[in-house]
């Protein structure tokens, strides 16, 4: 679910960093291929080890997304990234909720599941869906149609 997306993102960042490092090494005039390879490996390893800051490591995904319709039921899944378990799901803000009838069906920190309905008053646009995982939070965007 969300882990695959995170891994794909990290791989993309790693590949991009490798290309940038290789280009920088060439521009800097490094003549040795081994020096260039070492730089690429060092930059790639540093980027793979980076994580979101503590408190923002939960991963959340909403489906169907994009172009969710008014009143449609959505499924919210993900993991708590070290948090204690799913405590709350918020769509947009409490003053202007995008999601109604939110039901947490499984609060497991390794794989949570919730269901909700998109509010009837919502038009076309993009809004955040946030999760509170007991010490870790996560956010994704919901595109409505």
């Amino acid at each position: 679910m969300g882990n695959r997306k995170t891994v794909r993102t990290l791989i993309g960042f790693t590949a991009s960093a490798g290309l940038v490092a290789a280009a920088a090494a060439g521009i800097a005039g490094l003549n040795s291929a081994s020096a260039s390879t070492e730089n690429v490996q060092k930059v790639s390893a540093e980027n793979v080890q980076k994580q979101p800051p503590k408190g923002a490591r939960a991963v959340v995904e909403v489906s169907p997304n994009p172009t969710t319709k008014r009143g449609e039921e959505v499924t919210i899944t993900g993991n708590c990234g070290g948090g204690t378990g799913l405590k709350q799901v918020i769509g947009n803000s409490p003053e202007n909720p995008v999601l109604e009838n939110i039901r947490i069906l499984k609060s497991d920190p390794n794989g949570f599941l919730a269901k909700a309905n998109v509010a009837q008053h919502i038009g076309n646009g993009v809004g955040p869906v946030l999760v509170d995982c007991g010490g870790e939070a996560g956010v994704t965007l919901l595109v409505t149609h």
Side-chain angles (χ1 to χ4, degrees):
M1 285 182 258
N3 279 341
R4 286 182 272 185
K5 185 177 180 182
T6 302
V7 169
R8 279 185 265 148
T9 301
L10 285 174
I11 290 170
F13 284 139
T14 301
S16 297
L19 292 173
V20 169
I27 292 170
L30 291 176
N31 295 326
S32 168
S34 64
S36 176
T37 302
E38 288 172 14
N39 284 344
V40 169
Q41 289 172 344
K42 181 180 176 185
V43 170
S44 295
E46 289 171 359
N47 284 332
V48 169
Q49 293 174 351
K50 289 183 181 177
Q51 292 184 21
K54 183 109 176 91
R57 293 182 180 167
V59 177
V60 60
E61 187 174 295
V62 177
S63 64
N65 192 17
T67 64
T68 307
K69 296 177 175 79
R70 289 182 207 116
E72 184 173 3
E73 183 177 74
V74 294
T75 302
I76 300 119
T77 57
N79 71 70
C80 289
T84 59
L86 183 62
K87 307 292 182 213
Q88 186 175 16
V89 177
I90 300 171
N92 200 22
S93 70
E95 298 82 30
N96 188 23
V98 172
L99 299 176
E100 300 174 329
N101 192 26
I102 300 169
R103 302 163 315 278
I104 296 174
L105 304 175
K106 181 179 166 189
S107 62
D108 183 352
N110 297 318
F112 59 77
L113 171 67
K115 299 268 186 176
N117 295 89
V118 176
Q120 289 291 339
H121 67 275
I122 298 302
N124 298 340
V126 177
V129 174
L130 303 105
V131 294
D132 173 2
C133 275
E136 296 292 340
V139 65
T140 192
L141 294 175
L142 175 64
V143 181
T144 58
H145 178 67

